[in-house]
Amino acid sequence: MFRYFCLMKLARDQVLHIAKLARLQLSDDEIETYTNQLASILGYIEILNEVDTSQVEPTAQVTGLKNVMDADHVMKKSDCEALLACSPLPKEDHQIRVKPVFE
Amino acid sequence: MEDFFYFGIREIHEGLKAKQFSATELVAALLKRIETLESKLQAFITIVPELALHAAATVDQKIARAEDFGLLEGIPMSLKDLFCTRGVQTTAGSKILEGFVPPYDAAVVSRLNVQGTILLGKNTEDEFGHGSSSENTGFSVPRNPWNFERVAGGSSGGSAVAVASGEVAFALGTDTGGSVRYPASLCGCVGLKPTYGRISRYGVIAMASSLDTVGILARSCEDVALVLQVIAGRDMLDSTTPDRSVPDYISFLDRSVRGMKVGVPEEYFGEGLDAGVRSCVEAAIDVLKSLGMEVRSVQLPHTRYGVAAYYIICPSEVSANMARFDGIKYGPTVQDAENLMDVYCQSRARGFHPEVKRRIMIGTYALSSGYYDAYYLKAQKIRTLVRQDFDRAFEEVDVLVAPTSPTLAFKIGEKVNDPLSMYLNDSLTIPASLAGISGLSVPCGFVSGLPVGLQILGPQFGEERVLQVGNAYEKETRWHTKKHPVL
């Protein structure tokens, strides 16, 4: 329908950097496929540059609500054991045991 | 006995009351139907026969004691697998949550439980809502009941299939950019995307937090209204639900639409709109005229920027919401990872569908240092303009009508290698999502045996208005009662 293509180049390094930020391990094939697909999608998005938005306020959310407050009291207690059971990792003392953060 | 597969909520209620069938008979028959049709339709990831029959028995005991029972009590339904259901597997359509059993119910699930509805199973979908064809499921791809080689639409494809094929009376889905309206249109049933904030999202696995809405799929506007009545309203556990009263939706349904003003946005009828779809929708508009509605042309000039703005905002919010799936708190983990970073990177690599990864990466890029202003902020400004287009239109008219989908259901596999082409499926549903307004798709005809949907849009908290118009159209045309000859 609204087709608009712009040749946008995305470097392999950029894709690797994004993948690292996103904590995604990619194969070489995936890197190539995503490099092309992302370039195509980001090229399409360039259409937004047709619009002058210099005087326009952004919309973060549409409800108009601000600072929705609630009293700080316990409404319901979570089932600790049930929540821990959701994790596939070993548990110790009501904690989920993970690999070290620092080597 | 088989007629009740397509009964509406009131018909089921009357049937139970008159003891034409019991809740157990009804549920058992539907479970059998699901079992028979699943190899063809693949609408479900999880089916819960024991729970369903237990719930049905409870309803039957109540009826046997001649106690009053509510309109929704004993009504069989299903849920898109994005809704947390306590004790029942919830996967969001993804392998990364395979085996995850939530320890709590989503708010809407609790509300439906209180009403006594009966859950038959969890429906398949595009993973985490990422898609418009349900082909991005980590499980089996659901088929369009009208043509098994065609897509059911998405991301709430399984829910639409279950409703359209008479397996459940209604289903819940979610609509972030069109994911209830679009599959409803492709499968020939009714789909409501309410105003953002109308229904609580507590316990709904998040996709894009400023766009996600809980949606309802059923075979009539009345049934949608009956379900909306019990799940709409402020929830203390979801701070994005305004404190806005819930009207009596049913009381609006049979009000006359004579004199109501209908806007037809020019931009929704451009090139790329299938000729058959255009024809059905134009015929539908003629029906609205014959009902005494005043039809006029309106302009929504920023429509053409909707998809681009959405495909920045949505992936950006997705990249944040998907961060929690890391092989630590839920779902499968990578056992042979050497270090913590590998646990994250490999769990996510193995667990997520390519479309999910694509969206995470677009979002990560758009939000990353140096790009935020050019992408996310720009898209949010376009969002304001899209919203203002609707605000202006609703000063002149009561509702807007347009096609829901630019095309008919396409063949399975046809667009999987062209993500951008897939994104354009939602070009007519996305603007309403960006603006957070109310929208409905109702069946309005068939082309080559495939359903066409009429989209009816209303202002924020205008659900009663769109349901009123949808209902008037339904009563006049009866498209929504057409059943598949084979199923």
Side-chain angles (χ1 to χ4, degrees):
Chain A
M1 206 165 169
F2 307 116
R3 290 236 165 214
Y4 182 106
F5 282 109
C6 173
L7 277 175
M8 176 158 173
K9 290 277 181 203
L10 206 60
R12 187 189 154 91
D13 280 353
Q14 276 178 294
V15 174
L16 286 172
H17 176 63
I18 295 165
K20 185 165 174 210
L21 288 175
R23 300 293 186 257
L24 286 170
Q25 186 179 75
L26 299 179
S27 67
D28 285 335
D29 280 344
E30 279 175 314
I31 294 168
E32 186 168 340
T33 308
Y34 289 137
T35 305
N36 294 331
Q37 288 176 343
L38 290 189
S40 163
I41 294 162
L42 292 168
Y44 173 76
I45 282 162
E46 296 290 313
I47 196 178
L48 297 183
N49 291 330
E50 283 177 15
V51 188
D52 177 8
T53 53
S54 53
Q55 305 302 314
V56 183
E57 284 299 304
T59 295
Q61 50 96 355
V62 295
T63 61
L65 291 170
K66 281 183 176 44
N67 301 334
V68 177
M69 307 296 273
D70 196 10
D72 185 15
H73 62 256
V74 174
M75 273 169 49
K76 60 184 238 178
K77 285 195 80 179
S78 296
D79 182 344
C80 181
E81 293 308 320
L83 287 170
L84 285 170
C86 292
S87 170
L89 299 178
K91 324 289 188 303
E92 237 175 75
D93 272 337
H94 290 110
Q95 295 162 105
I96 299 173
R97 193 182 172 95
V98 299
K99 293 198 188 298
V101 175
F102 303 107
E103 296 295 318
Chain B
M1 206 40 135
E2 286 170 356
D3 295 337
F4 62 38
F5 292 154
Y6 288 94
F7 272 12
I9 291 173
R10 275 198 209 278
E11 283 173 292
I12 294 175
H13 180 77
E14 294 306 320
L16 289 171
K17 210 157 125 186
K19 300 198 164 91
Q20 280 162 13
F21 46 83
S22 67
T24 301
E25 283 172 326
L26 173 66
V27 166
L30 287 171
L31 287 168
K32 184 102 213 295
R33 181 171 176 74
I34 291 170
E35 197 191 339
T36 312
L37 295 177
E38 256 307 272
S39 58
K40 290 198 186 76
L41 296 178
Q42 301 180 144
F44 288 84
I45 294 173
T46 304
I47 302 169
V48 288
E50 291 90 23
L51 275 179
L53 288 166
H54 179 79
T58 307
V59 175
D60 282 335
Q61 280 156 24
K62 216 167 163 180
I63 296 174
R65 289 194 298 265
E67 282 174 34
D68 275 340
F69 63 104
L71 205 44
L72 287 177
E73 213 154 344
I75 303 297
M77 58 88 173
S78 60
L79 300 168
K80 183 177 187 179
D81 215 11
L82 269 186
F83 291 88
C84 282
T85 40
R86 187 156 70 96
V88 176
Q89 181 183 236
T90 300
T91 66
S94 178
K95 293 289 188 193
I96 213 169
L97 279 180
E98 193 167 23
F100 171 60
V101 178
Y104 72 108
D105 282 322
V108 293
V109 174
S110 300
R111 290 186 187 202
L112 287 175
N113 285 343
V114 161
Q115 297 297 320
T117 58
I118 298 181
L119 176 70
L120 299 192
K122 308 297 289 299
N123 292 124
T124 193
E125 51 161 302
D126 286 298
E127 271 191 38
F128 295 102
H130 299 196
S132 51
S133 66
S134 300
E135 291 172 286
N136 299 335
T137 174
F139 302 87
S140 302
V141 175
R143 312 281 159 137
N144 194 309
W146 295 90
N147 183 323
F148 304 148
E149 286 165 27
R150 304 242 167 189
V151 297
S155 58
S156 311
S159 298
V161 170
V163 167
S165 60
E167 291 177 329
V168 293
F170 74 90
L172 294 190
T174 58
D175 190 313
T176 302
S179 291
V180 160
R181 290 164 289 158
Y182 186 74
S185 170
L186 265 49
C187 289
C189 62
V190 180
L192 174 78
K193 179 203 101 66
T195 305
Y196 177 85
R198 179 75 284 186
I199 301 177
S200 172
R201 289 177 298 114
Y202 174 77
V204 183
I205 297 174
M207 181 187 175
S209 303
S210 80
L211 294 161
D212 285 350
T213 63
V214 170
I216 303 165
L217 296 116
R219 290 186 291 272
S220 69
C221 289
E222 182 185 67
D223 282 2
V224 167
L226 288 169
V227 176
L228 180 62
Q229 195 70 56
V230 305
I231 61 175
R234 187 180 190 206
D235 181 19
M236 297 305 288
L237 294 170
D238 177 354
S239 61
T240 64
T241 54
D243 190 6
R244 182 96 179 217
S245 63
V246 178
D248 180 356
Y249 294 113
I250 293 295
S251 71
F252 281 84
L253 289 186
D254 285 323
R255 293 189 196 182
S256 170
V257 295
R258 182 163 292 279
M260 280 178 83
K261 300 188 185 68
V262 179
V264 179
E266 296 169 6
E267 293 80 4
Y268 285 56
F269 292 81
E271 58 157 284
L273 180 62
D274 177 276
V277 171
R278 178 193 294 268
S279 191
C280 286
V281 172
E282 285 173 349
I285 294 171
D286 285 340
V287 169
L288 296 181
K289 267 192 211 144
S290 77
L291 291 173
M293 299 187 80
E294 276 177 44
V295 176
R296 61 177 81 163
S297 183
V298 297
Q299 285 167 334
L300 302 172
H302 297 93
T303 302
R304 64 192 255 103
Y305 304 109
V307 171
Y310 178 85
Y311 277 100
I312 296 174
I313 296 168
C314 178
S316 297
E317 296 180 8
V318 154
S319 69
N321 282 324
M322 296 297 112
R324 72 195 67 186
F325 302 108
D326 56 5
I328 304 287
K329 292 191 292 293
Y330 9 65
T333 191
V334 167
Q335 299 294 350
D336 51 353
E338 283 179 18
N339 54 52
L340 189 59
M341 185 63 108
D342 280 354
V343 172
Y344 296 153
C345 294
Q346 289 170 24
S347 296
R348 291 159 67 77
R350 291 184 203 180
F352 283 142
H353 187 281
E355 181 59 36
V356 176
K357 292 183 206 175
R358 213 165 6 247
R359 294 189 191 205
I360 290 172
M361 289 204 285
I362 295 171
T364 305
Y365 177 76
L367 291 175
S368 63
S369 176
Y371 293 104
Y372 177 90
D373 282 3
Y375 288 107
Y376 192 69
L377 194 60
K378 179 82 182 179
Q380 296 286 45
K381 292 181 175 192
I382 299 287
R383 187 175 186 175
T384 301
L385 295 173
V386 167
R387 196 194 159 144
Q388 286 171 351
D389 282 357
F390 283 114
D391 288 345
R392 266 192 296 272
F394 288 125
E395 279 167 18
E396 286 180 44
V397 299
D398 297 304
V399 295
L400 299 166
V401 296
T404 306
S405 163
T407 66
L408 301 167
F410 47 91
K411 290 214 174 88
I412 291 172
E414 195 178 310
K415 298 191 186 188
V416 285
N417 293 320
D418 188 353
L420 195 47
S421 165
M422 193 71 92
Y423 294 166
L424 292 169
N425 294 334
D426 286 331
S427 53
L428 304 181
T429 49
I430 274 173
S433 297
L434 290 172
I437 60 174
S438 52
L440 183 71
S441 182
V442 296
C444 72
F446 289 82
V447 175
S448 313
L450 294 169
V452 177
L454 174 73
Q455 189 174 198
I456 305 169
L457 299 175
Q460 279 188 302
F461 298 102
E463 287 76 21
E464 65 271 19
R465 214 184 280 192
V466 299
L467 287 167
Q468 181 186 350
V469 173
N471 182 69
Y473 176 76
E474 263 179 12
K475 292 278 184 288
E476 192 64 21
T477 59
R478 322 289 301 158
W479 286 118
H480 64 298
T481 60
K482 203 159 183 243
K483 296 194 263 285
H484 192 285
V486 170
L487 297 180

